Amino acid sequence: MKKLKTTLLCLIAGTVLQTSAQNMNPIYLDNNQPVEKRVEDALSRMPMEEKVELCHAQSKFSSHGVPRLGIPEIWMSDGPHGVREEILWDSWSAAGWTNDSCTAYPALTCLAATFNPELSHAYGVAIGEEARYRRKDILLGPGVNIYRTPMNGRNFEYMGEDPYLASQMVVPYIQGVQQNGVSACVKHFALNNQEEWRGHINVNLSDRALHEIYLPAFKAAVEEGHVWSIMGSYNQLRGEHCCHNDLLLNKILKGNWKFDGVVVTDWGGAHDTKQAALNGLDIEMGSYTNGLSSKAKFGYEDYYLAKPFLALLKTGEVPVSVLNDKASRILRLIFRTAMMPNRPYGRFVCPDHSSTALKVAEEGIVLLKNDRQFFPVPTGKYQKIAVIGENATRSVTEGGGSSTLKVKYEVSPLEGLVARYGKEHIVYSMGYASGPSLYDREEPSKMNTDSLFNAAVETAKNADVVCFIGGLNKNHFQDAEGGDRKSYGLPFGQDKLIEAILKVNKNVAVILISGNAVAMPWVKDVPAIVQAWYLGSEGGNAIANVLCGETNPSGKLPFSFPVKLEDNAAHSFGKLSYPGDSINEYYKEDILVGYRWFDTKKIKPQFAFGYGLSYTTFEYGKIATDKKTYSPDEAIRVSFTLKNTGKVDGAEAVQVYTSQPKASVMRPEKELKAFKKVFLKAGETQTVEMEIKVKDLAFYNEATQSWTVEPGEFVLCNASSSADVKSKVAIQVQ
Ligand code: GLC
């Protein structure tokens, strides 16, 4: 009784104090106060219950604010390529709003393929403006999980196989989003490199692989991008779920990297109250709830970081300092977003956003093969162009899982080509049928596969050239969340159809719309191949601009295309290496992911990381450094000339790789440490200059659990791809 009285007295006193304090324009509401002061003041006004409320969902895509203090809720939305339509309060269903059809930007594999960080910033600004306009405080993206296997259903959402490329491209995206007063949420932290058993698969790997391959993009997002939130992944790392993993979240993220933002679960990624409390989780979001009443099984108030958390705090089993740290981080995010002074208002579906989407799409398209100068095909060159394939007309902005979008518009490849060449010169035949799209499209089962096939061959026979537009399509098992691909080859009989078309017409270009590498049995038979990603609302215009030559392609592959799946590192060590035995998985290729594997094992990929052709040609001068010897804290200034030796203006993503021939540990043959997209007019020469910090030549030393640069020789090379080294230069590190 006495305790209750004391508590009541404190509450009344507190309220009286507050009321009087509140009259003096309280600090937490004062826009002129620094964020940290506002956090401190708000925290001091909140009882435990209000702090616990901050730590979990109140609906499918929102978490609590502090209504009594006028501190707003946090509203979140997918996704990395555009702002998802409004979802109902407590289900995955669409709310059916009519004001939420967005601009779809290209998938992040396309953004990575531009090798253009400035474009990444423009992308972030544009998508951030749309998230702000839709009144979202957290945009649930970008994703930077490393491309370890071509089977991963979600590779299309990420930035490829190289940690340096992903690091350089993720930072400007985050900065662009956050300048709108919207938090980016880099995901999925970490080791979510497949969809098979994603909810629990326990990843085992070496410290070197963890730190050298899988963490750098997240580290850059935190230390350089200053990302305000991060999403834990569903899988486990060394026996602990990543949404509450002591090593990842406490030691590395909040300890070493000094992350001051908020860790959010993936939806339903929390599994234990004490671990969620003590292992670094801040906000628990979820999938299984009836948030309308706590009586329902697993209602929001029953979440691990809801009532059960409060109970542990009350018994003292979890110290209040743990709660205060979470609440401070969440309040900090609110003061950076919803309560940001002079917060911009954003914009939604405007010409600027369309031109950004178009620019990223154009610069990300990769020309893989172009024999006999097949491309560009200027308008008027041919009377009849056959466009064949379902991906020429199918929407690729919907589907794929949580990154699915309801768009204001989407220019299909066929529409783009018809607009460009004139409908009298384009004849379309679907050729093959896949699973049902979300729109009320004719079910393939009603279509006779043979008649589609035969009609397409007939169309090809009567045309001057053929543009086969196929690939994958973000249906289940075809580049989609929740499931990995079942085969490396193209689905729906595309390979057979391409072979049949080639029998009646040799002039065939294959244009792949996908987010993953695929087998190419026809690679020698077709004169031209284009890797066109999921390109978003402006996709058809970007494809038309590149194919007709208005835009000179400059994209380069952010991941390797193996000839066959068995050539891939993760697929070279049996089931335990991929997809695991349903409980454990062992990353046996260790640090040799992607080109690191192909180089070191001398396996020739179909198309290499960093590879992409242009309609012009480039000549590289010999690489040089400003000195011969460097101390560990210096930067190496690299330079070489680059000449556009062709007849059209173009851009080249030049790359610099480094290697340490005599290291005391196994190191890949070479590793990307610098790149730059150089725009050159026809005939123009530029001297390209880049910097590489000596400290970035380090390997992760498992003995000392820190980064080590050994003295001795390092070799730097300039290259147009990981498989095309132009010249080398050796330096000494003291
Ligand atoms: C999904 C995805 C995650 C997404 C979240 C909300 O399971 O893994 O990327 O942001 O749930 O839709």
Side-chain angles (χ1 to χ4, degrees), residues 60-61 77-80 84 92 140-141 154 157-158 187-188 192 195 198 231-232 234 265-268 285 287 401-403 481:
K60 183 59 73 192
F61 281 99
S77 170
D78 290 314
R84 190 175 185 177
W92 287 107
L140 300 168
R154 292 186 83 173
E157 286 189 55
Y158 306 144
K187 68 188 187 181
H188 306 85
N192 184 181
E195 290 300 287
R198 69 169 178 169
M231 186 188 295
Y234 281 127
T265 60
D266 201 337
W267 268 236
M285 297 307 288
S287 297
S402 58
S403 62
E481 179 178 336

PDB file of all heavy atoms in Angstrom, residues 60-61 77-80 84 92 140-141 154 157-158 187-188 192 195 198 231-232 234 265-268 285 287 401-403 481, ligand 1:
ATOM      1  N   LYS A  60       0.722  -2.951 -38.764  1.00  0.00           N
ATOM      2  CA  LYS A  60       1.603  -3.633 -39.703  1.00  0.00           C
ATOM      3  C   LYS A  60       2.816  -2.777 -40.064  1.00  0.00           C
ATOM      4  O   LYS A  60       3.920  -3.289 -40.191  1.00  0.00           O
ATOM      5  CB  LYS A  60       0.807  -3.959 -40.965  1.00  0.00           C
ATOM      6  CG  LYS A  60       1.526  -4.729 -42.024  1.00  0.00           C
ATOM      7  CD  LYS A  60       2.036  -6.058 -41.540  1.00  0.00           C
ATOM      8  CE  LYS A  60       0.927  -7.053 -41.346  1.00  0.00           C
ATOM      9  NZ  LYS A  60       1.387  -8.240 -40.603  1.00  0.00           N
ATOM     10  N   PHE A  61       2.636  -1.490 -40.263  1.00  0.00           N
ATOM     11  CA  PHE A  61       3.742  -0.643 -40.702  1.00  0.00           C
ATOM     12  C   PHE A  61       3.882   0.616 -39.864  1.00  0.00           C
ATOM     13  O   PHE A  61       4.321   1.667 -40.349  1.00  0.00           O
ATOM     14  CB  PHE A  61       3.580  -0.269 -42.180  1.00  0.00           C
ATOM     15  CG  PHE A  61       4.009  -1.370 -43.113  1.00  0.00           C
ATOM     16  CD1 PHE A  61       3.069  -2.213 -43.687  1.00  0.00           C
ATOM     17  CD2 PHE A  61       5.338  -1.600 -43.360  1.00  0.00           C
ATOM     18  CE1 PHE A  61       3.460  -3.255 -44.519  1.00  0.00           C
ATOM     19  CE2 PHE A  61       5.747  -2.642 -44.192  1.00  0.00           C
ATOM     20  CZ  PHE A  61       4.795  -3.470 -44.776  1.00  0.00           C
ATOM     21  N   SER A  77       7.462   2.294 -44.594  1.00  0.00           N
ATOM     22  CA  SER A  77       6.956   1.709 -45.823  1.00  0.00           C
ATOM     23  C   SER A  77       8.087   1.044 -46.595  1.00  0.00           C
ATOM     24  O   SER A  77       9.197   1.582 -46.653  1.00  0.00           O
ATOM     25  CB  SER A  77       6.332   2.778 -46.728  1.00  0.00           C
ATOM     26  OG  SER A  77       6.051   2.220 -48.011  1.00  0.00           O
ATOM     27  N   ASP A  78       7.750  -0.081 -47.208  1.00  0.00           N
ATOM     28  CA  ASP A  78       8.666  -0.599 -48.230  1.00  0.00           C
ATOM     29  C   ASP A  78       8.666   0.403 -49.367  1.00  0.00           C
ATOM     30  O   ASP A  78       7.755   1.229 -49.443  1.00  0.00           O
ATOM     31  CB  ASP A  78       8.170  -1.982 -48.714  1.00  0.00           C
ATOM     32  CG  ASP A  78       8.340  -3.029 -47.628  1.00  0.00           C
ATOM     33  OD1 ASP A  78       9.420  -3.071 -47.016  1.00  0.00           O
ATOM     34  OD2 ASP A  78       7.391  -3.772 -47.385  1.00  0.00           O
ATOM     35  N   GLY A  79       9.578   0.367 -50.325  1.00  0.00           N
ATOM     36  CA  GLY A  79      10.643  -0.589 -50.451  1.00  0.00           C
ATOM     37  C   GLY A  79      11.811   0.112 -51.095  1.00  0.00           C
ATOM     38  O   GLY A  79      11.816   1.334 -51.271  1.00  0.00           O
ATOM     39  N   PRO A  80      12.743  -0.612 -51.491  1.00  0.00           N
ATOM     40  CA  PRO A  80      13.998  -0.043 -52.022  1.00  0.00           C
ATOM     41  C   PRO A  80      13.890   0.606 -53.396  1.00  0.00           C
ATOM     42  O   PRO A  80      14.741   1.399 -53.764  1.00  0.00           O
ATOM     43  CB  PRO A  80      14.917  -1.269 -52.068  1.00  0.00           C
ATOM     44  CG  PRO A  80      14.012  -2.443 -52.153  1.00  0.00           C
ATOM     45  CD  PRO A  80      12.754  -2.065 -51.441  1.00  0.00           C
ATOM     46  N   ARG A  84       5.820   1.696 -51.506  1.00  0.00           N
ATOM     47  CA  ARG A  84       4.750   0.685 -51.647  1.00  0.00           C
ATOM     48  C   ARG A  84       3.390   1.318 -51.398  1.00  0.00           C
ATOM     49  O   ARG A  84       3.284   2.289 -50.642  1.00  0.00           O
ATOM     50  CB  ARG A  84       5.012  -0.422 -50.628  1.00  0.00           C
ATOM     51  CG  ARG A  84       4.155  -1.666 -50.763  1.00  0.00           C
ATOM     52  CD  ARG A  84       4.612  -2.738 -49.774  1.00  0.00           C
ATOM     53  NE  ARG A  84       3.903  -3.993 -49.945  1.00  0.00           N
ATOM     54  CZ  ARG A  84       4.179  -5.086 -49.236  1.00  0.00           C
ATOM     55  NH1 ARG A  84       5.141  -5.069 -48.321  1.00  0.00           N
ATOM     56  NH2 ARG A  84       3.491  -6.206 -49.429  1.00  0.00           N
ATOM     57  N   TRP A  92      -1.590  -7.901 -44.649  1.00  0.00           N
ATOM     58  CA  TRP A  92      -0.678  -7.590 -45.766  1.00  0.00           C
ATOM     59  C   TRP A  92      -1.467  -7.073 -46.965  1.00  0.00           C
ATOM     60  O   TRP A  92      -0.917  -6.847 -48.024  1.00  0.00           O
ATOM     61  CB  TRP A  92       0.119  -8.822 -46.162  1.00  0.00           C
ATOM     62  CG  TRP A  92       1.185  -9.184 -45.170  1.00  0.00           C
ATOM     63  CD1 TRP A  92       1.154 -10.238 -44.299  1.00  0.00           C
ATOM     64  CD2 TRP A  92       2.403  -8.490 -44.915  1.00  0.00           C
ATOM     65  NE1 TRP A  92       2.290 -10.243 -43.522  1.00  0.00           N
ATOM     66  CE2 TRP A  92       3.076  -9.180 -43.884  1.00  0.00           C
ATOM     67  CE3 TRP A  92       2.998  -7.348 -45.450  1.00  0.00           C
ATOM     68  CZ2 TRP A  92       4.314  -8.775 -43.376  1.00  0.00           C
ATOM     69  CZ3 TRP A  92       4.230  -6.936 -44.956  1.00  0.00           C
ATOM     70  CH2 TRP A  92       4.871  -7.638 -43.931  1.00  0.00           C
ATOM     71  N   LEU A 140      11.918   1.372 -45.979  1.00  0.00           N
ATOM     72  CA  LEU A 140      12.541   0.076 -45.664  1.00  0.00           C
ATOM     73  C   LEU A 140      13.412  -0.391 -46.831  1.00  0.00           C
ATOM     74  O   LEU A 140      13.070  -1.293 -47.578  1.00  0.00           O
ATOM     75  CB  LEU A 140      11.467  -0.949 -45.307  1.00  0.00           C
ATOM     76  CG  LEU A 140      10.614  -0.543 -44.094  1.00  0.00           C
ATOM     77  CD1 LEU A 140       9.395  -1.420 -43.969  1.00  0.00           C
ATOM     78  CD2 LEU A 140      11.433  -0.556 -42.808  1.00  0.00           C
ATOM     79  N   GLY A 141      14.534   0.253 -46.926  1.00  0.00           N
ATOM     80  CA  GLY A 141      15.544  -0.064 -47.945  1.00  0.00           C
ATOM     81  C   GLY A 141      16.666   0.929 -47.756  1.00  0.00           C
ATOM     82  O   GLY A 141      16.543   1.850 -46.952  1.00  0.00           O
ATOM     83  N   ARG A 154      16.137 -12.930 -53.982  1.00  0.00           N
ATOM     84  CA  ARG A 154      16.065 -11.473 -53.794  1.00  0.00           C
ATOM     85  C   ARG A 154      17.301 -10.733 -54.294  1.00  0.00           C
ATOM     86  O   ARG A 154      17.480  -9.547 -54.050  1.00  0.00           O
ATOM     87  CB  ARG A 154      15.842 -11.125 -52.326  1.00  0.00           C
ATOM     88  CG  ARG A 154      14.484 -11.527 -51.831  1.00  0.00           C
ATOM     89  CD  ARG A 154      14.232 -11.060 -50.428  1.00  0.00           C
ATOM     90  NE  ARG A 154      13.767  -9.671 -50.377  1.00  0.00           N
ATOM     91  CZ  ARG A 154      13.353  -9.073 -49.255  1.00  0.00           C
ATOM     92  NH1 ARG A 154      13.412  -9.740 -48.111  1.00  0.00           N
ATOM     93  NH2 ARG A 154      12.926  -7.826 -49.270  1.00  0.00           N
ATOM     94  N   GLU A 157      17.085  -7.197 -55.641  1.00  0.00           N
ATOM     95  CA  GLU A 157      16.894  -6.031 -54.754  1.00  0.00           C
ATOM     96  C   GLU A 157      18.211  -5.486 -54.220  1.00  0.00           C
ATOM     97  O   GLU A 157      18.206  -4.491 -53.495  1.00  0.00           O
ATOM     98  CB  GLU A 157      16.071  -6.451 -53.532  1.00  0.00           C
ATOM     99  CG  GLU A 157      14.610  -6.682 -53.773  1.00  0.00           C
ATOM    100  CD  GLU A 157      13.876  -6.876 -52.449  1.00  0.00           C
ATOM    101  OE1 GLU A 157      13.981  -6.003 -51.575  1.00  0.00           O
ATOM    102  OE2 GLU A 157      13.212  -7.909 -52.291  1.00  0.00           O
ATOM    103  N   TYR A 158      19.322  -6.172 -54.523  1.00  0.00           N
ATOM    104  CA  TYR A 158      20.578  -5.822 -53.865  1.00  0.00           C
ATOM    105  C   TYR A 158      21.609  -5.285 -54.853  1.00  0.00           C
ATOM    106  O   TYR A 158      21.311  -5.092 -56.033  1.00  0.00           O
ATOM    107  CB  TYR A 158      21.143  -7.049 -53.132  1.00  0.00           C
ATOM    108  CG  TYR A 158      20.183  -7.706 -52.164  1.00  0.00           C
ATOM    109  CD1 TYR A 158      20.172  -9.091 -51.988  1.00  0.00           C
ATOM    110  CD2 TYR A 158      19.283  -6.961 -51.406  1.00  0.00           C
ATOM    111  CE1 TYR A 158      19.301  -9.707 -51.099  1.00  0.00           C
ATOM    112  CE2 TYR A 158      18.401  -7.574 -50.524  1.00  0.00           C
ATOM    113  CZ  TYR A 158      18.427  -8.939 -50.371  1.00  0.00           C
ATOM    114  OH  TYR A 158      17.553  -9.557 -49.488  1.00  0.00           O
ATOM    115  N   LYS A 187      19.277  -2.951 -45.161  1.00  0.00           N
ATOM    116  CA  LYS A 187      18.841  -4.308 -44.811  1.00  0.00           C
ATOM    117  C   LYS A 187      19.492  -5.322 -45.732  1.00  0.00           C
ATOM    118  O   LYS A 187      20.063  -4.937 -46.756  1.00  0.00           O
ATOM    119  CB  LYS A 187      17.308  -4.386 -44.898  1.00  0.00           C
ATOM    120  CG  LYS A 187      16.724  -4.257 -46.317  1.00  0.00           C
ATOM    121  CD  LYS A 187      15.194  -4.142 -46.279  1.00  0.00           C
ATOM    122  CE  LYS A 187      14.581  -4.180 -47.655  1.00  0.00           C
ATOM    123  NZ  LYS A 187      13.107  -4.054 -47.639  1.00  0.00           N
ATOM    124  N   HIS A 188      19.463  -6.640 -45.353  1.00  0.00           N
ATOM    125  CA  HIS A 188      18.974  -7.212 -44.099  1.00  0.00           C
ATOM    126  C   HIS A 188      20.205  -7.650 -43.326  1.00  0.00           C
ATOM    127  O   HIS A 188      20.979  -8.477 -43.821  1.00  0.00           O
ATOM    128  CB  HIS A 188      18.102  -8.421 -44.391  1.00  0.00           C
ATOM    129  CG  HIS A 188      16.988  -8.126 -45.343  1.00  0.00           C
ATOM    130  ND1 HIS A 188      17.137  -8.157 -46.719  1.00  0.00           N
ATOM    131  CD2 HIS A 188      15.721  -7.761 -45.140  1.00  0.00           C
ATOM    132  CE1 HIS A 188      15.992  -7.843 -47.297  1.00  0.00           C
ATOM    133  NE2 HIS A 188      15.112  -7.596 -46.358  1.00  0.00           N
ATOM    134  N   ASN A 192      21.754 -12.518 -45.090  1.00  0.00           N
ATOM    135  CA  ASN A 192      20.489 -12.989 -45.665  1.00  0.00           C
ATOM    136  C   ASN A 192      20.740 -13.153 -47.167  1.00  0.00           C
ATOM    137  O   ASN A 192      20.276 -12.356 -47.979  1.00  0.00           O
ATOM    138  CB  ASN A 192      19.429 -11.933 -45.377  1.00  0.00           C
ATOM    139  CG  ASN A 192      18.037 -12.339 -45.847  1.00  0.00           C
ATOM    140  OD1 ASN A 192      17.097 -11.585 -45.700  1.00  0.00           O
ATOM    141  ND2 ASN A 192      17.890 -13.495 -46.428  1.00  0.00           N
ATOM    142  N   GLU A 195      16.805 -17.130 -49.891  1.00  0.00           N
ATOM    143  CA  GLU A 195      15.448 -17.105 -49.354  1.00  0.00           C
ATOM    144  C   GLU A 195      15.052 -18.463 -48.789  1.00  0.00           C
ATOM    145  O   GLU A 195      14.142 -18.561 -47.984  1.00  0.00           O
ATOM    146  CB  GLU A 195      14.471 -16.678 -50.436  1.00  0.00           C
ATOM    147  CG  GLU A 195      14.622 -15.196 -50.811  1.00  0.00           C
ATOM    148  CD  GLU A 195      14.395 -14.283 -49.636  1.00  0.00           C
ATOM    149  OE1 GLU A 195      13.245 -14.124 -49.217  1.00  0.00           O
ATOM    150  OE2 GLU A 195      15.382 -13.728 -49.096  1.00  0.00           O
ATOM    151  N   ARG A 198      14.804 -18.945 -45.015  1.00  0.00           N
ATOM    152  CA  ARG A 198      15.341 -17.640 -44.567  1.00  0.00           C
ATOM    153  C   ARG A 198      15.000 -17.323 -43.104  1.00  0.00           C
ATOM    154  O   ARG A 198      15.687 -16.589 -42.440  1.00  0.00           O
ATOM    155  CB  ARG A 198      14.857 -16.520 -45.453  1.00  0.00           C
ATOM    156  CG  ARG A 198      13.364 -16.224 -45.329  1.00  0.00           C
ATOM    157  CD  ARG A 198      13.000 -14.923 -46.033  1.00  0.00           C
ATOM    158  NE  ARG A 198      11.574 -14.649 -45.964  1.00  0.00           N
ATOM    159  CZ  ARG A 198      11.059 -13.479 -46.317  1.00  0.00           C
ATOM    160  NH1 ARG A 198      11.831 -12.499 -46.762  1.00  0.00           N
ATOM    161  NH2 ARG A 198       9.760 -13.271 -46.243  1.00  0.00           N
ATOM    162  N   MET A 231      17.788  -2.863 -40.579  1.00  0.00           N
ATOM    163  CA  MET A 231      16.855  -3.963 -40.347  1.00  0.00           C
ATOM    164  C   MET A 231      17.615  -5.265 -40.144  1.00  0.00           C
ATOM    165  O   MET A 231      18.433  -5.648 -40.983  1.00  0.00           O
ATOM    166  CB  MET A 231      15.902  -4.117 -41.544  1.00  0.00           C
ATOM    167  CG  MET A 231      14.809  -5.153 -41.299  1.00  0.00           C
ATOM    168  SD  MET A 231      13.822  -5.533 -42.755  1.00  0.00           S
ATOM    169  CE  MET A 231      13.023  -3.972 -43.055  1.00  0.00           C
ATOM    170  N   GLY A 232      17.322  -5.925 -39.000  1.00  0.00           N
ATOM    171  CA  GLY A 232      17.928  -7.224 -38.747  1.00  0.00           C
ATOM    172  C   GLY A 232      17.352  -8.248 -39.719  1.00  0.00           C
ATOM    173  O   GLY A 232      16.214  -8.087 -40.190  1.00  0.00           O
ATOM    174  N   TYR A 234      16.242 -12.227 -40.986  1.00  0.00           N
ATOM    175  CA  TYR A 234      15.504 -13.353 -40.405  1.00  0.00           C
ATOM    176  C   TYR A 234      16.416 -14.482 -39.957  1.00  0.00           C
ATOM    177  O   TYR A 234      16.111 -15.187 -38.992  1.00  0.00           O
ATOM    178  CB  TYR A 234      14.565 -13.940 -41.470  1.00  0.00           C
ATOM    179  CG  TYR A 234      13.295 -13.191 -41.709  1.00  0.00           C
ATOM    180  CD1 TYR A 234      12.941 -12.789 -42.994  1.00  0.00           C
ATOM    181  CD2 TYR A 234      12.415 -12.899 -40.676  1.00  0.00           C
ATOM    182  CE1 TYR A 234      11.750 -12.127 -43.235  1.00  0.00           C
ATOM    183  CE2 TYR A 234      11.222 -12.231 -40.913  1.00  0.00           C
ATOM    184  CZ  TYR A 234      10.898 -11.851 -42.197  1.00  0.00           C
ATOM    185  OH  TYR A 234       9.722 -11.185 -42.446  1.00  0.00           O
ATOM    186  N   THR A 265      13.336  -5.060 -36.426  1.00  0.00           N
ATOM    187  CA  THR A 265      13.356  -6.455 -36.904  1.00  0.00           C
ATOM    188  C   THR A 265      12.892  -6.507 -38.345  1.00  0.00           C
ATOM    189  O   THR A 265      12.159  -5.613 -38.791  1.00  0.00           O
ATOM    190  CB  THR A 265      12.340  -7.330 -36.136  1.00  0.00           C
ATOM    191  OG1 THR A 265      11.033  -6.780 -36.337  1.00  0.00           O
ATOM    192  CG2 THR A 265      12.666  -7.418 -34.664  1.00  0.00           C
ATOM    193  N   ASP A 266      13.210  -7.580 -39.041  1.00  0.00           N
ATOM    194  CA  ASP A 266      12.409  -7.910 -40.192  1.00  0.00           C
ATOM    195  C   ASP A 266      11.083  -8.394 -39.607  1.00  0.00           C
ATOM    196  O   ASP A 266      11.008  -8.734 -38.431  1.00  0.00           O
ATOM    197  CB  ASP A 266      13.102  -8.992 -41.046  1.00  0.00           C
ATOM    198  CG  ASP A 266      12.544  -8.969 -42.460  1.00  0.00           C
ATOM    199  OD1 ASP A 266      11.401  -8.481 -42.628  1.00  0.00           O
ATOM    200  OD2 ASP A 266      13.248  -9.394 -43.389  1.00  0.00           O
ATOM    201  N   TRP A 267      10.062  -8.431 -40.388  1.00  0.00           N
ATOM    202  CA  TRP A 267       8.705  -8.639 -39.857  1.00  0.00           C
ATOM    203  C   TRP A 267       8.526 -10.049 -39.315  1.00  0.00           C
ATOM    204  O   TRP A 267       8.524 -11.020 -40.045  1.00  0.00           O
ATOM    205  CB  TRP A 267       7.677  -8.312 -40.932  1.00  0.00           C
ATOM    206  CG  TRP A 267       7.214  -6.880 -40.883  1.00  0.00           C
ATOM    207  CD1 TRP A 267       5.930  -6.435 -40.767  1.00  0.00           C
ATOM    208  CD2 TRP A 267       8.032  -5.697 -40.902  1.00  0.00           C
ATOM    209  NE1 TRP A 267       5.881  -5.073 -40.746  1.00  0.00           N
ATOM    210  CE2 TRP A 267       7.156  -4.579 -40.800  1.00  0.00           C
ATOM    211  CE3 TRP A 267       9.388  -5.453 -40.969  1.00  0.00           C
ATOM    212  CZ2 TRP A 267       7.609  -3.264 -40.787  1.00  0.00           C
ATOM    213  CZ3 TRP A 267       9.845  -4.131 -40.951  1.00  0.00           C
ATOM    214  CH2 TRP A 267       8.970  -3.054 -40.867  1.00  0.00           C
ATOM    215  N   GLY A 268       8.460 -10.120 -38.002  1.00  0.00           N
ATOM    216  CA  GLY A 268       8.364 -11.422 -37.346  1.00  0.00           C
ATOM    217  C   GLY A 268       9.722 -12.013 -37.053  1.00  0.00           C
ATOM    218  O   GLY A 268       9.849 -13.189 -36.753  1.00  0.00           O
ATOM    219  N   MET A 285       8.902  -5.315 -35.161  1.00  0.00           N
ATOM    220  CA  MET A 285       7.770  -5.245 -36.089  1.00  0.00           C
ATOM    221  C   MET A 285       7.342  -6.677 -36.372  1.00  0.00           C
ATOM    222  O   MET A 285       8.075  -7.622 -36.069  1.00  0.00           O
ATOM    223  CB  MET A 285       8.179  -4.527 -37.379  1.00  0.00           C
ATOM    224  CG  MET A 285       8.591  -3.073 -37.185  1.00  0.00           C
ATOM    225  SD  MET A 285       7.402  -2.062 -36.302  1.00  0.00           S
ATOM    226  CE  MET A 285       6.118  -1.912 -37.559  1.00  0.00           C
ATOM    227  N   SER A 287       4.563  -9.879 -38.210  1.00  0.00           N
ATOM    228  CA  SER A 287       3.689 -10.394 -39.258  1.00  0.00           C
ATOM    229  C   SER A 287       2.446 -11.038 -38.691  1.00  0.00           C
ATOM    230  O   SER A 287       1.398 -10.973 -39.273  1.00  0.00           O
ATOM    231  CB  SER A 287       4.445 -11.430 -40.085  1.00  0.00           C
ATOM    232  OG  SER A 287       5.531 -10.805 -40.704  1.00  0.00           O
ATOM    233  N   GLY A 401       7.581  -9.750 -54.125  1.00  0.00           N
ATOM    234  CA  GLY A 401       7.512  -9.755 -52.662  1.00  0.00           C
ATOM    235  C   GLY A 401       7.324  -8.355 -52.113  1.00  0.00           C
ATOM    236  O   GLY A 401       6.627  -7.522 -52.702  1.00  0.00           O
ATOM    237  N   SER A 402       8.000  -8.039 -51.001  1.00  0.00           N
ATOM    238  CA  SER A 402       7.712  -6.781 -50.305  1.00  0.00           C
ATOM    239  C   SER A 402       8.127  -5.557 -51.118  1.00  0.00           C
ATOM    240  O   SER A 402       7.709  -4.446 -50.825  1.00  0.00           O
ATOM    241  CB  SER A 402       8.446  -6.762 -48.966  1.00  0.00           C
ATOM    242  OG  SER A 402       9.834  -6.927 -49.192  1.00  0.00           O
ATOM    243  N   SER A 403       8.952  -5.723 -52.141  1.00  0.00           N
ATOM    244  CA  SER A 403       9.354  -4.549 -52.941  1.00  0.00           C
ATOM    245  C   SER A 403       8.364  -4.293 -54.080  1.00  0.00           C
ATOM    246  O   SER A 403       8.605  -3.453 -54.936  1.00  0.00           O
ATOM    247  CB  SER A 403      10.754  -4.758 -53.534  1.00  0.00           C
ATOM    248  OG  SER A 403      10.753  -5.872 -54.417  1.00  0.00           O
ATOM    249  N   GLU A 481      10.937 -12.731 -53.380  1.00  0.00           N
ATOM    250  CA  GLU A 481      11.140 -12.952 -51.955  1.00  0.00           C
ATOM    251  C   GLU A 481      10.413 -14.223 -51.517  1.00  0.00           C
ATOM    252  O   GLU A 481       9.360 -14.547 -52.051  1.00  0.00           O
ATOM    253  CB  GLU A 481      10.541 -11.744 -51.216  1.00  0.00           C
ATOM    254  CG  GLU A 481      10.639 -11.812 -49.715  1.00  0.00           C
ATOM    255  CD  GLU A 481      10.074 -10.557 -49.082  1.00  0.00           C
ATOM    256  OE1 GLU A 481      10.033  -9.503 -49.755  1.00  0.00           O
ATOM    257  OE2 GLU A 481       9.677 -10.651 -47.914  1.00  0.00           O
TER     258      GLU A 481
HETATM  259  C1  GLC B   1       9.630  -8.654 -45.464  1.00  0.00           C
HETATM  260  C2  GLC B   1      11.010  -8.393 -46.012  1.00  0.00           C
HETATM  261  C3  GLC B   1      11.542  -7.019 -45.674  1.00  0.00           C
HETATM  262  C4  GLC B   1      10.376  -6.031 -45.711  1.00  0.00           C
HETATM  263  C5  GLC B   1       9.465  -6.379 -44.552  1.00  0.00           C
HETATM  264  C6  GLC B   1       8.204  -5.523 -44.549  1.00  0.00           C
HETATM  265  O1  GLC B   1       9.579  -9.927 -44.873  1.00  0.00           O
HETATM  266  O2  GLC B   1      12.016  -9.350 -45.685  1.00  0.00           O
HETATM  267  O3  GLC B   1      12.559  -6.676 -46.641  1.00  0.00           O
HETATM  268  O4  GLC B   1      10.850  -4.700 -45.588  1.00  0.00           O
HETATM  269  O5  GLC B   1       9.088  -7.748 -44.532  1.00  0.00           O
HETATM  270  O6  GLC B   1       7.459  -5.792 -45.702  1.00  0.00           O
END
